[in-house]
Amino acid sequence: MAPRFPFSAVVGHDDLRLSLLLNAVHPAIGGVLVRGEKGTAKSTIVRALAALLPDLDVVPGCRFACDPANPDPDCPDGPHGAGADRRPSRLVELPVGATEDRLVGSLDLERALTEGVRAYQPGLLAAAHRGVLYVDEVNLLHDHLVDLLLDAAAMGRAHVEREGVSVSHAASFLLVGTMNPEEGELRPQLLDRFGLTVQVLASRDVSTRTEVIRRRLSYEADPAGFAADWADADAELAARIVKARAELPNVVLPDTELRRIAAVCAAFEVDGMRADLVVARTASAHCAWRGANTVTEEDVEIAVRLALPHRRRRDPFDEPGVDEQQLQEAMQQASAEIDDDPDDDPDGGESPPESQAPQQQQQQQGEGKAPKDQAPAAPSSAFKARLLQVPGVGEGAPGRRSRARSTGGRTVRSSTVDGHGLHLIGTVTAAAPHQRARGRDGAGLRLTGEDLRLAVREGKEGNLVLFAVDASGSMAARQRMSAVSGAVLSLLRDAYQRRDKVGVVTFRGTEAQVALPPTSSVDAAVARLRKLRTGGRTPLADGLLKAHKVLSVERLRDPRRRPLLVVVTDGRATAARPGHDPVQDSLRAAAMLAADGVATVVVDCENGPVRLGLADKLATALDGVCLRLEQLSAEQVAGVVRATRAA
């Protein structure tokens, strides 16, 4: 097996390398999330880290890597005897398609069926204990696996309660995840669990890119020789990690720097206290890494750059990162405050009095007003949207919207004809009544092919949510576009959290256009929506036909991902082809979508004392459901909306 690419040989990516090294020094930081475009050596750097970690002393024969000096009293392989073995630290990779059994462990089928005993087979969490757990494409991980991973990372233990097995074991590891934002964002709950985050981009400097190519080609030509050339540099880094770990308990974090950390985190308005703790730990680790014994402002600033980018996002669609000017202002403000006695300021240095707020709000609202005609409408405040679902059970990509059969979801029943993996309880139950007739004598079961039961698993899938948005004058004239934009923004946030693929079709004037082809980057959809202009007639039929075409193409590209069409309109149709009736054309286009079985929700944007009910008629033609604009809020109207059509 060829040696891995040396850590020291990586060109550039200073922040990423520093983040990994600081986590190696102080694992309590909480891991690293690496965001970046494809082809930027994210996986190469992470895999190279394992070679720098110091070897471990483990209890001989313990499958859970217990430390002989401090063994886990609840280790399933305990109680442990004397002695110790030494082995390298492990890098355990969690594949996107992993099952729950593979992650947390399961019943040992071989011993259960041959010996008739209940025995636990450890999973990847046990293998990663005291090492590195690496999740490539962490944003594509199954949601139920994410929940298990979060619990283990937070508690340092894994708990298994299933199939008659009750096990708890230590699972403390350095969590490293990589992701390409173009393939979809990460759930906020998991995002906050990562201690540090780094944005990785390919260098645009010609000399740097040239050196990257040169080193990669040298490695491919002679992996062993290339690794040997960099062995001394890697050994120096490994020794520095060991030294920094030893010095870390002696590092002093003065109250002055503690107040600086608290002031900066408050200035960035991060949620909770995890950010403050992570910055403090990172600053201490950096202090030990540079060979000092007292944390300084330099350590804090570096820690802030690595720990706050993913925590300052007030909305899922805010760009991650720390603005340099904002950082410098926060650091200067913190420097001015750290010497003050907090008791001297009863207001705690908070925002200006409320009497000033209305004036500031008026100034902000008055800035950048666009002309009424053809101007982008500023979206109203977003809200938590109620759940819109595609009916039936699909087989699409993992997500959090509609029901779906899956290979890694929860087991709902056993079956003799379909399913994924062995359903142990069902198999044993089917075989048990026949043991005497089969001449069973002693331990173990006698099985036949007729006893085999498969596990039918069910989880959630992500859907293709296509928005068809009416941007015509009939919407803008009544100043409804702001509320409509806010509602679509709320639905897009919901799609982001449920890991859907989204697209946007808009129609106004004389035609419809694809404002955003279906993509997993919901951020792009929000950017297009915020630039949406309004005005003109209402080519409703053309908008529906354009949506039909987009869905037809996507059905060929990704046939397993079921679509959900969300039509945002007041139902008016005022533009059509020459010689055609716009209303009849709209109904015919709706019938085409209904014939294809497209699950559809019509969002009725009509308001005023007199309602024509045109959106209701459109929903009937689409064989979907109709919701008033105000009914999209999950807080005002509870429940789940399923489109009428079954898939």
Side-chain angles (χ1 to χ4, degrees):
M1 180 178 179
R4 291 192 173 119
F5 194 92
F7 190 91
S8 303
V10 175
V11 180
H13 300 323
D14 295 339
D15 285 349
L16 173 54
R17 291 192 292 171
L18 179 60
S19 297
L20 294 172
L21 291 170
L22 293 182
N23 269 270
V25 171
H26 196 353
I29 288 174
V32 184
L33 173 64
V34 188
R35 299 166 51 91
E37 56 194 15
K38 54 186 177 292
T40 50
K42 300 187 298 293
S43 300
T44 299
I45 300 174
V46 174
R47 293 189 175 103
L49 174 67
L52 302 182
L53 300 180
D55 291 347
L56 301 176
D57 288 327
V58 297
V59 172
C62 178
R63 298 172 296 169
F64 301 87
C66 277
D67 185 352
N70 186 27
D72 179 10
D74 298 322
C75 178
D77 285 354
H80 298 305
D85 289 338
R86 195 162 184 81
R87 66 163 176 78
S89 295
R90 290 175 177 168
L91 174 74
V92 177
E93 298 192 33
L94 176 63
V96 174
T99 63
E100 182 178 342
D101 290 348
R102 188 74 185 96
L103 179 63
V104 301
S106 63
L107 189 65
D108 190 326
L109 296 180
E110 182 178 356
R111 295 189 63 188
L113 297 178
T114 59
E115 302 176 24
V117 298
R118 289 182 297 183
Y120 174 66
Q121 180 67 36
L124 294 177
L125 291 181
H129 179 48
R130 303 176 66 197
V132 180
L133 181 60
Y134 171 45
V135 187
D136 193 14
E137 297 182 319
V138 63
N139 52 323
L140 304 182
L141 198 63
H142 288 261
D143 274 12
H144 70 287
L145 296 183
V146 171
D147 294 333
L148 294 170
L149 186 60
L150 286 178
D151 289 341
M155 297 184 296
R157 299 194 67 82
H159 298 274
V160 184
E161 299 282 349
R162 55 188 307 175
E163 298 172 342
V165 174
S166 179
V167 172
S168 174
H169 65 82
S172 178
F173 47 80
L174 167 57
L175 179 61
V176 181
T178 57
M179 60 174 283
N180 183 353
E182 294 178 356
E183 298 173 347
E185 278 293 346
L186 195 64
R187 280 179 56 191
Q189 296 92 331
L190 183 57
L191 189 65
D192 187 53
R193 293 291 189 181
F194 284 97
L196 310 179
T197 186
V198 178
Q199 185 78 21
V200 177
L201 298 172
S203 175
R204 300 299 185 257
D205 179 70
V206 175
S207 299
T208 301
R209 296 174 73 97
T210 302
E211 185 61 23
V212 170
I213 299 171
R214 180 181 295 112
R215 293 189 186 184
R216 187 66 199 185
L217 293 178
S218 297
Y219 169 75
E220 292 176 356
D222 182 9
F226 185 83
D229 291 340
W230 291 92
D232 290 343
D234 269 9
E236 182 179 346
L237 283 178
R240 192 174 173 185
I241 291 174
V242 173
K243 181 180 179 181
R245 281 187 177 184
E247 293 297 329
L248 182 63
N250 302 322
V251 170
V252 177
L253 181 57
D255 286 346
T256 299
E257 299 309 320
L258 276 176
R259 294 197 62 193
R260 190 190 309 277
I261 291 170
V264 172
C265 290
F268 278 101
E269 298 183 338
V270 295
D271 295 330
M273 295 298 299
R274 181 176 282 118
D276 303 61
L277 293 170
V278 171
V279 172
R281 291 167 182 155
T282 306
S284 297
H286 187 264
C287 177
W289 177 251
R290 63 184 180 87
N293 56 14
T294 303
V295 174
T296 65
E297 181 179 356
E298 174 194 357
D299 300 313
V300 173
E301 182 173 347
I302 290 175
V304 167
R305 293 180 188 277
L306 300 176
L308 293 193
H310 58 305
R311 293 188 168 91
R312 63 173 296 274
R313 302 178 77 180
R314 311 305 301 173
D315 187 274
F317 307 121
D318 291 340
E319 287 294 326
V322 174
D323 180 77
E324 183 63 27
Q325 181 177 354
Q326 185 182 8
L327 173 60
Q328 295 304 322
E329 291 176 354
M331 293 294 293
Q332 292 173 6
Q333 180 182 354
S335 297
E337 292 180 356
I338 56 178
D339 294 329
D340 294 341
D341 185 353
D343 295 334
D344 292 342
D345 183 8
D347 294 328
E350 295 183 359
S351 55
E354 292 184 3
S355 60
Q356 299 179 13
Q359 181 180 359
Q360 293 175 352
Q361 292 175 359
Q362 291 174 3
Q363 292 175 353
Q364 293 173 357
Q365 293 173 358
E367 292 175 355
K369 285 187 177 179
K372 293 182 180 180
D373 188 34
Q374 307 294 320
S380 62
S381 299
F383 51 82
K384 181 180 179 181
R386 67 191 295 181
L387 175 59
L388 307 179
Q389 281 188 325
V390 178
V393 181
E395 296 181 350
R400 301 182 64 217
R401 183 172 298 279
S402 306
R403 294 173 56 202
R405 288 178 290 273
S406 68
T407 59
R410 63 186 180 89
T411 301
V412 294
R413 60 183 174 86
S414 63
S415 172
T416 58
V417 294
D418 60 351
H420 299 277
L422 178 67
H423 191 286
L424 180 61
I425 302 300
T427 301
V428 172
T429 302
H434 308 291
Q435 295 305 295
R436 180 174 296 178
R438 294 174 184 174
R440 173 183 172 183
D441 183 16
L445 292 175
R446 293 200 172 185
L447 304 174
T448 68
E450 297 178 353
D451 301 325
L452 183 63
R453 297 294 185 272
L454 301 176
V456 178
R457 304 177 188 270
E458 186 173 296
K460 293 285 188 179
E461 67 176 1
N463 298 109
L464 166 60
V465 182
L466 181 64
F467 293 92
V469 182
D470 185 347
S472 65
S474 67
M475 301 280 283
R478 292 190 300 272
Q479 298 181 350
R480 295 292 289 167
M481 206 58 209
S482 176
V484 169
S485 298
V488 177
L489 182 65
S490 303
L491 292 171
L492 282 170
R493 178 191 282 113
D494 182 68
Y496 155 83
Q497 294 171 340
R498 300 187 187 282
R499 294 160 67 182
D500 293 316
K501 198 173 182 180
V502 298
V504 179
V505 170
T506 62
F507 50 96
R508 56 180 287 270
T510 60
E511 62 180 5
Q513 63 177 355
V514 181
L516 180 74
T519 174
S520 295
S521 178
V522 184
D523 299 34
V526 175
R528 300 292 176 89
L529 175 68
R530 287 173 172 161
K531 297 178 181 178
L532 183 64
R533 292 183 173 271
T534 63
R537 298 170 67 84
T538 311
L540 178 58
D542 200 46
L544 296 176
L545 290 174
K546 184 71 72 172
H548 181 268
K549 182 178 180 180
V550 171
L551 294 177
S552 298
V553 172
E554 285 301 308
R555 187 178 293 115
L556 296 175
R557 290 177 177 172
D558 193 356
R560 297 179 60 189
R561 189 183 289 267
R562 297 186 297 163
L564 173 64
L565 176 62
V566 179
V567 183
V568 185
T569 182
D570 58 7
R572 294 175 181 267
T574 60
R577 294 172 296 172
H580 287 254
D581 179 76
V583 175
Q584 293 302 317
D585 273 4
S586 301
L587 295 178
R588 280 192 288 268
M592 292 176 60
L593 287 162
D596 282 352
V598 177
T600 306
V601 174
V602 177
V603 179
D604 184 3
C605 301
E606 188 175 30
N607 71 335
V610 179
R611 298 180 58 84
L612 301 179
L614 299 178
D616 283 304
K617 296 179 181 179
L618 178 62
T620 300
L622 288 164
D623 202 4
V625 297
C626 184
L627 295 176
R628 297 276 297 276
L629 192 63
E630 57 270 20
Q631 290 179 311
L632 288 177
S633 172
E635 298 178 355
Q636 296 183 16
V637 183
V640 173
V641 176
R642 291 184 176 87
T644 304
R645 273 277 180 181

